[in-house]
Amino acid sequence: MSNENLFFQAFVYLTAAVITVPISKRLGLGSVLGYLIAGVIIGPFGLRLVGQEGQDVMRFAEFGVVMMLFLVGLQLQPDLLWRMRMPIVGLGGLQMIANVVLLSGVGLLLGLSWQTALAISLILPLSSTAIGVQTLTERGLMRTPGGQSAFSVLLFQAVAVIPILALLPLLAANPACQSDRDIFGDYCG
């Protein structure tokens, strides 16, 4: 990527953010949604100011996500986490278990195999901790009881991703099955 192209892309990204984020915040939507709207507007399905060359920026975007998570970690106080251990495990665990049971049941009723239904039900209740914490902080809700409850669920979900990622390969369909029906969750014997 040439320096000229890199500067143009940086200009496009920054201009889009400077325009959409304040508008989004003014409308009460928050900065995270403003960045998402900016991406849609300048992306390949909008004004097409960035497209495939946007893949080159992904390294910088990943670094930005890592830095945002690092900043979230800096705000966490170990004594606060210890005091919140029961809500984290209780509320977060209850949310995950209730969603897994409900969504697995719906999947089974729709005719999915138990493996497919369980995999879908483990993935759907997850949300982005970084975006959730940013939104709670922007709205001044982090110190409220509701904000701490939401944070507890978000933190449990973030930790639950690790065992879920370990479990998903075990739920994978039998690789010996190759018919179209197996893609939709029918059991392959």
Short mmCIF file of all heavy atoms in Angstrom, two decimals, residues 116-157:
data_model
loop_
_atom_site.label_atom_id
_atom_site.label_comp_id
_atom_site.label_asym_id
_atom_site.label_seq_id
_atom_site.Cartn_x
_atom_site.Cartn_y
_atom_site.Cartn_z
N THR A 116 -26.24 -29.18 16.74
CA THR A 116 -26.43 -27.90 16.06
C THR A 116 -27.20 -26.94 16.94
O THR A 116 -26.84 -25.76 17.07
CB THR A 116 -27.16 -28.10 14.72
OG1 THR A 116 -26.42 -29.04 13.93
CG2 THR A 116 -27.30 -26.80 13.96
N ALA A 117 -28.26 -27.43 17.56
CA ALA A 117 -29.07 -26.58 18.45
C ALA A 117 -28.24 -26.06 19.61
O ALA A 117 -28.32 -24.88 19.96
CB ALA A 117 -30.29 -27.36 18.96
N LEU A 118 -27.41 -26.91 20.19
CA LEU A 118 -26.57 -26.49 21.31
C LEU A 118 -25.51 -25.48 20.86
O LEU A 118 -25.28 -24.48 21.53
CB LEU A 118 -25.91 -27.71 21.97
CG LEU A 118 -25.03 -27.42 23.19
CD1 LEU A 118 -25.84 -26.72 24.29
CD2 LEU A 118 -24.42 -28.71 23.72
N ALA A 119 -24.89 -25.73 19.71
CA ALA A 119 -23.88 -24.80 19.20
C ALA A 119 -24.48 -23.41 18.97
O ALA A 119 -23.91 -22.39 19.38
CB ALA A 119 -23.26 -25.34 17.91
N ILE A 120 -25.64 -23.37 18.34
CA ILE A 120 -26.29 -22.08 18.08
C ILE A 120 -26.68 -21.42 19.40
O ILE A 120 -26.49 -20.21 19.58
CB ILE A 120 -27.52 -22.28 17.17
CG1 ILE A 120 -27.06 -22.67 15.76
CG2 ILE A 120 -28.39 -21.03 17.12
CD1 ILE A 120 -28.18 -23.12 14.85
N SER A 121 -27.18 -22.20 20.34
CA SER A 121 -27.63 -21.61 21.60
C SER A 121 -26.47 -21.13 22.47
O SER A 121 -26.65 -20.27 23.32
CB SER A 121 -28.48 -22.61 22.39
OG SER A 121 -27.68 -23.68 22.87
N LEU A 122 -25.28 -21.66 22.25
CA LEU A 122 -24.10 -21.17 22.99
C LEU A 122 -23.57 -19.87 22.40
O LEU A 122 -22.99 -19.05 23.11
CB LEU A 122 -22.99 -22.23 22.97
CG LEU A 122 -23.20 -23.45 23.85
CD1 LEU A 122 -22.17 -24.52 23.53
CD2 LEU A 122 -23.15 -23.06 25.32
N ILE A 123 -23.78 -19.68 21.10
CA ILE A 123 -23.22 -18.51 20.43
C ILE A 123 -24.14 -17.29 20.52
O ILE A 123 -23.68 -16.18 20.77
CB ILE A 123 -22.93 -18.84 18.95
CG1 ILE A 123 -21.83 -19.90 18.87
CG2 ILE A 123 -22.54 -17.60 18.17
CD1 ILE A 123 -21.66 -20.52 17.51
N LEU A 124 -25.43 -17.48 20.34
CA LEU A 124 -26.37 -16.35 20.25
C LEU A 124 -26.42 -15.46 21.49
O LEU A 124 -26.56 -14.24 21.35
CB LEU A 124 -27.76 -16.84 19.87
CG LEU A 124 -27.95 -17.23 18.42
CD1 LEU A 124 -29.36 -17.70 18.16
CD2 LEU A 124 -27.59 -16.10 17.48
N PRO A 125 -26.34 -15.98 22.71
CA PRO A 125 -26.47 -15.07 23.86
C PRO A 125 -25.23 -14.23 24.14
O PRO A 125 -25.25 -13.39 25.04
CB PRO A 125 -26.75 -16.00 25.04
CG PRO A 125 -26.63 -17.37 24.57
CD PRO A 125 -26.40 -17.37 23.12
N LEU A 126 -24.16 -14.42 23.40
CA LEU A 126 -22.93 -13.67 23.67
C LEU A 126 -23.02 -12.25 23.12
O LEU A 126 -23.64 -12.00 22.10
CB LEU A 126 -21.73 -14.39 23.06
CG LEU A 126 -21.45 -15.78 23.61
CD1 LEU A 126 -20.28 -16.41 22.87
CD2 LEU A 126 -21.18 -15.74 25.10
N SER A 127 -22.40 -11.32 23.81
CA SER A 127 -22.34 -9.94 23.34
C SER A 127 -20.93 -9.43 23.54
O SER A 127 -20.11 -10.06 24.19
CB SER A 127 -23.35 -9.08 24.09
OG SER A 127 -23.12 -9.16 25.48
N SER A 128 -20.64 -8.29 22.98
CA SER A 128 -19.31 -7.72 23.07
C SER A 128 -19.12 -7.00 24.40
O SER A 128 -19.77 -5.98 24.66
CB SER A 128 -19.07 -6.76 21.91
OG SER A 128 -17.85 -6.06 22.12
N THR A 129 -18.21 -7.50 25.21
CA THR A 129 -17.92 -6.87 26.49
C THR A 129 -17.38 -5.46 26.28
O THR A 129 -17.78 -4.53 26.98
CB THR A 129 -16.91 -7.72 27.29
OG1 THR A 129 -17.45 -9.04 27.43
CG2 THR A 129 -16.64 -7.13 28.64
N ALA A 130 -16.48 -5.32 25.32
CA ALA A 130 -15.87 -4.01 25.09
C ALA A 130 -16.90 -2.97 24.70
O ALA A 130 -16.92 -1.85 25.21
CB ALA A 130 -14.79 -4.13 24.01
N ILE A 131 -17.82 -3.34 23.80
CA ILE A 131 -18.85 -2.39 23.37
C ILE A 131 -19.83 -2.12 24.50
O ILE A 131 -20.24 -0.99 24.74
CB ILE A 131 -19.56 -2.90 22.10
CG1 ILE A 131 -18.58 -2.88 20.92
CG2 ILE A 131 -20.80 -2.07 21.79
CD1 ILE A 131 -19.12 -3.48 19.66
N GLY A 132 -20.21 -3.17 25.22
CA GLY A 132 -21.15 -3.00 26.34
C GLY A 132 -20.59 -2.10 27.43
O GLY A 132 -21.29 -1.20 27.92
N VAL A 133 -19.35 -2.32 27.80
CA VAL A 133 -18.73 -1.49 28.85
C VAL A 133 -18.59 -0.05 28.37
O VAL A 133 -18.84 0.89 29.13
CB VAL A 133 -17.37 -2.09 29.28
CG1 VAL A 133 -16.59 -1.12 30.15
CG2 VAL A 133 -17.58 -3.40 30.01
N GLN A 134 -18.21 0.13 27.11
CA GLN A 134 -18.09 1.48 26.56
C GLN A 134 -19.43 2.20 26.60
O GLN A 134 -19.52 3.36 27.00
CB GLN A 134 -17.57 1.42 25.11
CG GLN A 134 -17.47 2.75 24.41
CD GLN A 134 -16.35 3.61 24.96
OE1 GLN A 134 -15.41 3.12 25.54
NE2 GLN A 134 -16.48 4.91 24.78
N THR A 135 -20.49 1.51 26.23
CA THR A 135 -21.83 2.10 26.24
C THR A 135 -22.27 2.43 27.66
O THR A 135 -22.81 3.51 27.91
CB THR A 135 -22.84 1.15 25.57
OG1 THR A 135 -22.38 0.87 24.25
CG2 THR A 135 -24.22 1.77 25.51
N LEU A 136 -22.04 1.51 28.59
CA LEU A 136 -22.40 1.77 29.99
C LEU A 136 -21.62 2.97 30.54
O LEU A 136 -22.19 3.80 31.27
CB LEU A 136 -22.12 0.54 30.86
CG LEU A 136 -23.04 -0.66 30.67
CD1 LEU A 136 -22.49 -1.88 31.41
CD2 LEU A 136 -24.44 -0.35 31.13
N THR A 137 -20.35 3.06 30.21
CA THR A 137 -19.52 4.16 30.70
C THR A 137 -19.98 5.49 30.10
O THR A 137 -20.09 6.49 30.81
CB THR A 137 -18.04 3.90 30.35
OG1 THR A 137 -17.65 2.66 30.92
CG2 THR A 137 -17.15 5.01 30.88
N GLU A 138 -20.26 5.50 28.78
CA GLU A 138 -20.70 6.73 28.12
C GLU A 138 -22.00 7.26 28.73
O GLU A 138 -22.18 8.46 28.84
CB GLU A 138 -20.95 6.48 26.63
CG GLU A 138 -19.72 6.50 25.78
CD GLU A 138 -20.05 6.27 24.32
OE1 GLU A 138 -21.25 6.16 23.96
OE2 GLU A 138 -19.11 6.20 23.53
N ARG A 139 -22.87 6.38 29.09
CA ARG A 139 -24.18 6.80 29.62
C ARG A 139 -24.17 6.98 31.13
O ARG A 139 -25.20 7.25 31.73
CB ARG A 139 -25.25 5.79 29.21
CG ARG A 139 -25.43 5.77 27.70
CD ARG A 139 -26.39 4.73 27.26
NE ARG A 139 -26.41 4.66 25.82
CZ ARG A 139 -27.45 4.98 25.09
NH1 ARG A 139 -28.55 5.40 25.65
NH2 ARG A 139 -27.39 4.88 23.79
N GLY A 140 -23.00 6.80 31.75
CA GLY A 140 -22.88 6.99 33.19
C GLY A 140 -23.61 5.94 34.01
O GLY A 140 -24.03 6.20 35.14
N LEU A 141 -23.75 4.75 33.46
CA LEU A 141 -24.50 3.69 34.14
C LEU A 141 -23.62 2.68 34.86
O LEU A 141 -24.12 1.80 35.54
CB LEU A 141 -25.38 2.94 33.12
CG LEU A 141 -26.43 3.78 32.41
CD1 LEU A 141 -27.11 2.96 31.33
CD2 LEU A 141 -27.44 4.31 33.41
N MET A 142 -22.31 2.81 34.71
CA MET A 142 -21.41 1.80 35.24
C MET A 142 -21.49 1.68 36.76
O MET A 142 -21.32 0.60 37.31
CB MET A 142 -19.98 2.13 34.80
CG MET A 142 -19.06 1.00 34.81
SD MET A 142 -19.61 -0.35 33.76
CE MET A 142 -18.15 -1.30 33.81
N ARG A 143 -21.77 2.75 37.45
CA ARG A 143 -21.80 2.74 38.92
C ARG A 143 -23.20 2.47 39.48
O ARG A 143 -23.37 2.40 40.68
CB ARG A 143 -21.28 4.06 39.47
CG ARG A 143 -19.87 4.38 39.07
CD ARG A 143 -18.90 3.70 39.98
NE ARG A 143 -17.54 4.04 39.61
CZ ARG A 143 -16.58 3.17 39.56
NH1 ARG A 143 -16.80 1.91 39.86
NH2 ARG A 143 -15.37 3.53 39.20
N THR A 144 -24.19 2.35 38.61
CA THR A 144 -25.55 2.09 39.09
C THR A 144 -25.73 0.58 39.30
O THR A 144 -24.98 -0.23 38.74
CB THR A 144 -26.59 2.58 38.06
OG1 THR A 144 -26.46 1.80 36.87
CG2 THR A 144 -26.41 4.06 37.75
N PRO A 145 -26.71 0.18 40.12
CA PRO A 145 -26.94 -1.26 40.30
C PRO A 145 -27.26 -1.97 38.99
O PRO A 145 -26.77 -3.09 38.75
CB PRO A 145 -28.14 -1.30 41.26
CG PRO A 145 -28.11 0.00 41.98
CD PRO A 145 -27.54 1.00 41.02
N GLY A 146 -28.05 -1.35 38.13
CA GLY A 146 -28.36 -1.96 36.83
C GLY A 146 -27.12 -2.08 35.96
O GLY A 146 -26.93 -3.08 35.27
N GLY A 147 -26.28 -1.06 36.00
CA GLY A 147 -25.04 -1.09 35.22
C GLY A 147 -24.10 -2.17 35.71
O GLY A 147 -23.45 -2.85 34.92
N GLN A 148 -24.03 -2.34 37.03
CA GLN A 148 -23.17 -3.38 37.57
C GLN A 148 -23.72 -4.78 37.25
O GLN A 148 -22.96 -5.71 37.03
CB GLN A 148 -22.96 -3.18 39.06
CG GLN A 148 -22.15 -1.92 39.32
CD GLN A 148 -21.46 -1.92 40.66
OE1 GLN A 148 -21.72 -2.76 41.52
NE2 GLN A 148 -20.57 -0.97 40.83
N SER A 149 -25.03 -4.90 37.23
CA SER A 149 -25.62 -6.18 36.84
C SER A 149 -25.32 -6.49 35.37
O SER A 149 -24.96 -7.62 35.03
CB SER A 149 -27.13 -6.16 37.06
OG SER A 149 -27.44 -6.05 38.42
N ALA A 150 -25.47 -5.48 34.53
CA ALA A 150 -25.15 -5.66 33.10
C ALA A 150 -23.67 -6.00 32.93
O ALA A 150 -23.31 -6.88 32.14
CB ALA A 150 -25.50 -4.40 32.32
N PHE A 151 -22.82 -5.31 33.68
CA PHE A 151 -21.39 -5.59 33.63
C PHE A 151 -21.09 -7.02 34.07
O PHE A 151 -20.24 -7.70 33.50
CB PHE A 151 -20.62 -4.59 34.49
CG PHE A 151 -19.15 -4.89 34.58
CD1 PHE A 151 -18.33 -4.69 33.49
CD2 PHE A 151 -18.61 -5.40 35.74
CE1 PHE A 151 -16.98 -4.99 33.56
CE2 PHE A 151 -17.26 -5.69 35.83
CZ PHE A 151 -16.44 -5.48 34.74
N SER A 152 -21.79 -7.50 35.10
CA SER A 152 -21.60 -8.87 35.58
C SER A 152 -21.90 -9.87 34.47
O SER A 152 -21.14 -10.83 34.26
CB SER A 152 -22.52 -9.15 36.77
OG SER A 152 -22.20 -8.32 37.85
N VAL A 153 -22.99 -9.67 33.76
CA VAL A 153 -23.36 -10.57 32.67
C VAL A 153 -22.32 -10.49 31.55
O VAL A 153 -21.89 -11.52 31.01
CB VAL A 153 -24.78 -10.25 32.15
CG1 VAL A 153 -25.09 -11.02 30.88
CG2 VAL A 153 -25.81 -10.53 33.22
N LEU A 154 -21.89 -9.27 31.21
CA LEU A 154 -20.90 -9.10 30.15
C LEU A 154 -19.59 -9.79 30.51
O LEU A 154 -18.96 -10.45 29.66
CB LEU A 154 -20.64 -7.61 29.90
CG LEU A 154 -21.76 -6.83 29.22
CD1 LEU A 154 -21.49 -5.34 29.30
CD2 LEU A 154 -21.90 -7.27 27.77
N LEU A 155 -19.17 -9.65 31.75
CA LEU A 155 -17.91 -10.25 32.17
C LEU A 155 -18.01 -11.78 32.16
O LEU A 155 -17.08 -12.47 31.73
CB LEU A 155 -17.52 -9.75 33.57
CG LEU A 155 -16.10 -10.02 33.99
CD1 LEU A 155 -15.11 -9.45 32.99
CD2 LEU A 155 -15.85 -9.42 35.36
N PHE A 156 -19.14 -12.32 32.62
CA PHE A 156 -19.32 -13.77 32.57
C PHE A 156 -19.26 -14.26 31.13
O PHE A 156 -18.64 -15.29 30.83
CB PHE A 156 -20.64 -14.18 33.22
CG PHE A 156 -20.81 -15.67 33.31
CD1 PHE A 156 -20.33 -16.35 34.41
CD2 PHE A 156 -21.42 -16.37 32.30
CE1 PHE A 156 -20.46 -17.72 34.50
CE2 PHE A 156 -21.57 -17.75 32.37
CZ PHE A 156 -21.08 -18.43 33.48
N GLN A 157 -19.91 -13.55 30.22
CA GLN A 157 -19.90 -13.94 28.81
C GLN A 157 -18.48 -13.93 28.25
O GLN A 157 -18.10 -14.82 27.49
CB GLN A 157 -20.78 -13.02 27.99
CG GLN A 157 -22.24 -13.17 28.24
CD GLN A 157 -23.07 -12.14 27.48
OE1 GLN A 157 -22.53 -11.24 26.84
NE2 GLN A 157 -24.36 -12.28 27.54
#
